[in-house]
Amino acid sequence: KRGPTMMKTLFRNPPSYEGFDGGAGSRYQARREIRSFWFPTWLAQPAALVPGSRLIDAPARGLTLEDVLPVAGDYEFLVLHTSAPSFSSDVKVAESFKAANPKLLVGMVGAHVAVSPESSVAASEAIDFVARKEFDYSVTEFATGKPLGDIQGVSYRKNGHIVHTPNRPPITDLDSLPFPARELLGDANRYIPPPGTYRKKPVAVMITSRGCNRHCIYCFQLDKERKSGIRYRSVDNVMEEIELCIREGYKEIKFLDDTFAADYDRAMKIAREIRRRRLSIAWFASACVNQVDKP
């Protein structure tokens, strides 16, 4: 049985200004003494949901707008990951692509447009919509041709006004998501973290959960209604991705979860399962100090 027809879709980390290197995430304010790049997990995951899509990470490849603009006519739908410090620059990229291909539909994703959707849509006629919060299924549904008014979690312009559809519920079954499409980005060695941070390269960045059980008022993860909490992938699902990374030649895993050790027992199960399966991989994770020791 054939699935829905997909638009020809391009996911892109757009070129940015001098000194903006992608930092500790796919879009981040980072002006440092060295250049280092993280794998753009938040784009690679939805890219895996859209068959035939392409993912170009311009900052990591040192590509300029002039380098990437020639492909504008090859696509129907462009997904741009943006951020607060790069937003004005990213809008210019969207406008340039739209000028080169007026039929191109442009969606923006990322924390900035999720927090400020109205001003983001209003920033330029080149922006057809923004997808708020978790956008995996929002951009996938749009790529199938679903009308914006029928897609949860998007904001767009209609009859001179900006419309916000109802929020999309957080994804609870994270095992249902495909693994990030790392193969779309080619050479894994392009993603080189700061010297001395890792023991082995290349490094595969993995996210095994979403959300947070804290309520820091300054954080994008803040759930004012305190409903979502942390959602976890199963240990078996995590192991499956680790084994895939090993087969693809990765030597180390960086667990990029905001709160990897919030569930201490689960974190220990992952550690023990790596040892039990005798997986030849180094790994590490970040955690709050009050999560390290089991209560």
Side-chain angles (χ1 to χ4, degrees):
K1 196 172 181 179
R2 293 186 63 186
T5 301
M6 293 282 186
M7 295 182 187
K8 294 186 67 176
T9 303
L10 174 63
F11 291 84
R12 177 179 292 286
N13 248 350
S16 195
Y17 49 83
E18 182 66 26
F20 186 103
D21 69 359
S26 52
R27 303 297 282 170
Y28 191 81
Q29 189 173 16
R31 195 174 187 89
R32 302 182 288 196
E33 295 82 5
I34 57 164
R35 288 173 62 82
S36 62
F37 297 97
W38 288 93
F39 179 82
T41 307
W42 288 101
L43 280 180
Q45 191 120 50
L49 287 165
V50 182
S53 63
R54 184 180 179 188
L55 171 55
I56 300 178
D57 189 356
R61 293 181 174 273
L63 300 176
T64 66
L65 179 58
E66 290 70 27
D67 293 326
V68 298
L69 197 56
V71 303
D74 299 336
Y75 296 92
E76 301 167 280
F77 178 29
L78 171 65
V79 181
L80 286 178
H81 201 294
T82 187
S83 64
S86 69
F87 183 71
S88 60
S89 173
D90 299 336
V91 167
K92 292 178 182 177
V93 173
E95 291 173 340
S96 297
F97 268 74
K98 201 85 160 185
N101 178 8
K103 294 183 179 180
L104 184 69
L105 298 168
V106 178
M108 277 192 166
V109 299
H112 179 70
V113 299
V115 172
S116 304
E118 184 135 356
S119 61
S120 297
V121 175
S124 175
E125 292 284 339
I127 303 171
D128 291 287
F129 74 96
V130 302
R132 309 187 306 271
K133 293 289 186 177
E134 293 180 348
F135 51 82
D136 309 76
Y137 292 123
S138 299
V139 297
T140 302
E141 289 173 5
F142 186 77
T144 67
K146 193 171 184 178
L148 283 169
D150 296 337
I151 300 175
Q152 293 179 310
V154 298
S155 301
Y156 62 101
R157 193 180 296 98
K158 181 179 181 181
N159 300 326
H161 300 282
I162 296 174
V163 177
H164 308 281
T165 63
N167 289 331
R168 179 177 291 275
I171 301 170
T172 54
D173 181 11
L174 296 183
D175 284 7
S176 66
L177 289 169
F179 300 144
R182 294 182 175 87
E183 69 279 2
L184 295 181
L185 286 164
D187 184 12
N189 288 293
R190 190 178 302 278
Y191 295 93
I192 303 176
T197 307
Y198 302 89
R199 291 173 291 172
K200 301 180 179 180
K201 299 177 179 66
V203 179
V205 172
M206 285 180 54
I207 299 176
T208 74
S209 64
R210 292 188 181 184
C212 185
N213 59 354
R214 310 298 179 183
H215 304 289
C216 307
I217 61 172
Y218 54 81
C219 183
F220 174 61
Q221 294 279 17
L222 175 64
D223 177 5
K224 294 180 180 178
E225 297 180 355
R226 303 193 176 193
K227 290 182 179 179
S228 60
I230 306 177
R231 293 150 286 138
Y232 294 103
R233 291 168 53 189
S234 68
V235 174
D236 285 342
N237 183 258
V238 173
M239 291 302 113
E240 186 180 345
E241 185 177 2
I242 291 175
E243 291 177 339
L244 174 63
C245 288
I246 292 173
R247 292 195 298 272
E248 292 180 344
Y250 289 92
K251 303 298 183 183
E252 185 156 335
I253 300 291
K254 160 62 176 175
F255 293 118
L256 198 61
D257 304 52
D258 290 319
T259 51
F260 182 78
D263 184 334
Y264 180 88
D265 291 337
R266 175 181 176 275
M268 291 304 296
K269 284 179 182 177
I270 291 174
R272 292 185 182 116
E273 190 64 13
I274 291 173
R275 175 174 290 185
R276 188 189 72 80
R277 298 190 186 199
R278 297 184 178 181
L279 300 182
S280 180
I281 192 83
W283 67 272
F284 77 105
S286 301
C288 296
V289 293
N290 62 349
Q291 296 171 347
V292 176
D293 294 323
K294 187 174 180 179

